[in-house]
Amino acid sequence: MEIILRNLTKKFPSRDRKNHEDVVAVNDFNFEIPDGKLIGLLGPSGCGKSTTLYLISGLQKPTDGRIFFGKDDVTNLPPENRGIGLVFQNYALYPHLTVRQNILFPLQNLKGKDKLTKTEMWEKADGAAKLVQIDGLMDRKPRELSGGQQQRVAIARALVKMPKVLLLDEPLSNLDARLRLQTREEIRRIQQETKITTIFVTHDQEEAMSISDLIVVMKDGVVQQIGRPQEVYDNPANLFVAKFLGTPPINIFEAHIRNSRLFIGDDAVLRLPGLPDQEVYAGIRPEGFICQEGGELCCMKKGIEVMGRDISMVCTHKASLSPTVRIIVGAENNTEPNRYGEEFPVRFRLLSRKVFLFHKETEARIHMRECSL
Ligand code: ATP
């Protein structure tokens, strides 16, 4: 099912006695969600992700704008008539019901021509349970299940009516790191098997990037960028998006362009033909530095950090906006693991495709014709 959001806006009245301005949770959201895809809605806490999901589900009404499921305008349809399945962070299972009864629950309320016989209901519940691989646990109560298993029951319950749209609100937040990884892969598998258009809300960029066909990055109720995860990572629209995606995060420097050259501090690091002189922010991904004698950028090396497979060189630079600059290096540079000693200078060549420039005031991306020195 394709979902179209047109000028979607949601305002909440202010409850602040000093500030009477409405809270704009979702601001003029325009987006077409293609049929059968998994979309990651991504952004920091309070940016309007859950509100967007609740508007699509019908649990909340927009202040402005329209929502279409395919050709149908569903803006004023109640949630139960939209053909959606919803999964929340806290599972919301009925504690006194067994797994089977929890999954059967949405089917028992079907009326009229949709009403099912007991056999049909059991078949559907068994099918949904098999899909999420909990068919061996049907007679247990929720308290007899692990967090991951409970979340699977919640997903089975959302899937049992074969919804046209599956909406997942931070479904992995209550799980430990290993289970999160496993369950997110499960969600991807289930989505690919069922081909149900799925919207997945998370503040975890790695989670969204790993399983989504498209990610929507939001800030303060406003969409910042929509695209395939790798595209957005490789081509961020603004400083916010560049900083939000990537671990270790992108390194941001105060920089300036003079005579078609990019300077970080006193170092001329790239040639930038055609760009006027100006102050800019330069963002350099941690994998964009090549340690090389005679390299253009000089940083002070503080030490090496080994985090499993990843090896980062931790440096400082006086133009860096954060206290340390993190650089992903190859294993051959791993001479002093996790040791911090006296600082000494190290020179780097920069990979120009890993360098992004942003306007000082608007923080919008400045596109450059890439050209190394
Ligand atoms: P989180 O990741 O913390 O769940 P979120 O991105 O999902 O955050 P929302 O829950 O959509 O954000 O909230 C967006 C903004 O709207 C926040 O400023 C929030 O305080 C406000 N908000 C949400 N619901 C209400 C409400 N019922 N009444 C007033 N303000 C609300």
Side-chain angles (χ1 to χ4, degrees):
M1 172 64 67
E2 183 194 24
I3 303 172
I4 301 166
L5 310 177
R6 285 269 171 271
N7 307 105
L8 200 64
T9 298
K10 177 68 180 175
K11 295 179 184 169
F12 293 106
S14 164
R15 303 223 186 280
D16 189 340
R17 284 203 195 134
K18 288 187 193 137
N19 181 0
H20 296 288
E21 261 181 53
D22 288 343
V23 177
V24 186
V26 176
N27 196 350
D28 203 20
F29 203 123
N30 281 291
F31 181 35
E32 292 181 14
I33 299 171
D35 181 31
K37 299 287 184 206
L38 197 159
I39 309 300
L41 263 188
L42 181 63
S45 182
C47 72
K49 307 179 293 291
S50 299
T51 306
T52 306
L53 204 74
Y54 297 156
L55 292 173
I56 295 171
S57 72
L59 290 176
Q60 286 180 351
K61 282 241 152 127
T63 316
D64 258 314
R66 309 226 63 86
I67 302 167
F68 296 87
F69 281 7
K71 290 198 166 43
D72 299 332
D73 185 340
V74 299
T75 317
N76 294 315
L77 269 192
E80 59 274 20
N81 297 344
R82 292 194 185 191
I84 50 147
L86 252 174
V87 178
F88 297 100
Q89 172 181 344
N90 60 3
Y91 327 134
L93 299 178
Y94 299 108
H96 58 289
L97 300 183
T98 62
V99 168
R100 175 175 280 108
Q101 289 164 333
N102 265 286
I103 301 174
L104 283 171
F105 195 82
L107 300 179
Q108 286 162 339
N109 295 325
L110 294 175
K111 304 250 160 42
K113 65 174 178 30
D114 295 329
K115 198 168 165 52
L116 300 173
T117 64
K118 190 174 170 197
T119 317
E120 286 169 333
M121 284 197 273
W122 275 55
E123 272 172 15
K124 280 185 184 283
D126 285 343
K130 273 210 184 82
L131 193 63
V132 302
Q133 296 173 351
I134 48 154
D135 41 321
L137 308 170
M138 296 296 259
D139 296 316
R140 292 207 201 168
K141 296 272 175 65
R143 66 170 181 279
E144 296 163 338
L145 302 176
S146 70
Q149 289 166 337
Q150 290 186 46
Q151 193 52 292
R152 283 165 193 245
V153 179
I155 295 170
R157 189 178 55 182
L159 287 174
V160 73
K161 282 206 283 185
M162 271 300 151
K164 292 182 274 188
V165 177
L166 182 63
L167 304 171
L168 306 163
D169 190 4
E170 301 254 8
L172 310 179
S173 300
N174 288 350
L175 307 180
D176 68 37
R178 212 163 60 90
L179 254 184
R180 278 181 88 111
L181 198 70
Q182 198 185 333
T183 314
R184 83 183 189 204
E185 283 159 11
E186 281 291 286
I187 289 174
R188 185 55 169 161
R189 175 187 63 78
I190 294 162
Q191 193 275 331
Q192 288 193 323
E193 272 182 48
T194 58
K195 295 266 178 285
I196 295 175
T197 308
T198 300
I199 305 176
F200 179 98
V201 162
T202 179
H203 58 268
D204 182 333
Q205 48 102 15
E206 203 183 306
E207 205 160 272
M209 288 185 73
S210 62
I211 62 168
S212 307
D213 293 305
L214 289 175
I215 54 170
V216 179
V217 185
M218 295 180 71
K219 179 191 170 204
D220 300 335
V222 179
V223 173
Q224 304 293 303
Q225 192 167 0
I226 299 172
R228 288 213 295 272
Q230 196 62 40
E231 262 170 30
V232 179
Y233 181 82
D234 289 338
N235 212 352
N238 58 36
L239 184 62
F240 174 84
V241 175
K243 287 201 306 200
F244 200 74
L245 299 186
T247 20
I250 193 165
N251 300 291
I252 309 291
F253 298 88
E254 300 264 9
H256 58 272
I257 302 169
R258 292 280 178 278
N259 303 325
S260 300
R261 276 161 193 244
L262 176 69
F263 284 84
I264 296 180
D266 300 327
D267 300 330
V269 292
L270 286 180
R271 213 145 53 80
L272 297 173
L275 283 182
D277 290 0
Q278 59 192 302
E279 303 291 308
V280 294
Y281 289 122
I284 309 174
R285 293 272 181 219
E287 67 276 21
F289 299 76
I290 312 277
C291 193
Q292 195 173 78
E293 240 178 82
E296 293 85 19
L297 182 70
C298 182
C299 294
M300 296 301 288
K301 178 180 168 186
K302 288 180 74 179
I304 291 278
E305 269 181 12
V306 183
M307 300 270 285
R309 190 210 49 187
D310 292 330
I311 301 168
S312 299
M313 193 184 287
V314 183
C315 298
T316 58
H317 191 284
K318 63 180 188 318
S320 166
L321 290 197
S322 55
T324 52
V325 176
R326 264 167 212 281
I327 294 162
I328 293 180
V329 292
E332 68 278 8
N333 287 303
N334 180 15
T335 47
E336 304 169 81
N338 296 339
R339 261 211 246 131
Y340 283 79
E342 226 169 89
E343 293 191 13
F344 58 90
V346 185
R347 301 201 76 90
F348 298 96
R349 183 165 67 81
L350 300 181
L351 291 177
S352 56
R353 69 194 152 82
K354 296 287 176 184
V355 180
F356 308 111
L357 303 183
F358 304 97
H359 278 285
K360 241 352 196 339
E361 279 101 55
T362 64
E363 300 189 353
R365 176 89 177 274
I366 303 169
H367 287 275
M368 54 193 200
R369 264 198 292 137
E370 293 164 2
C371 195
S372 58
L373 268 176

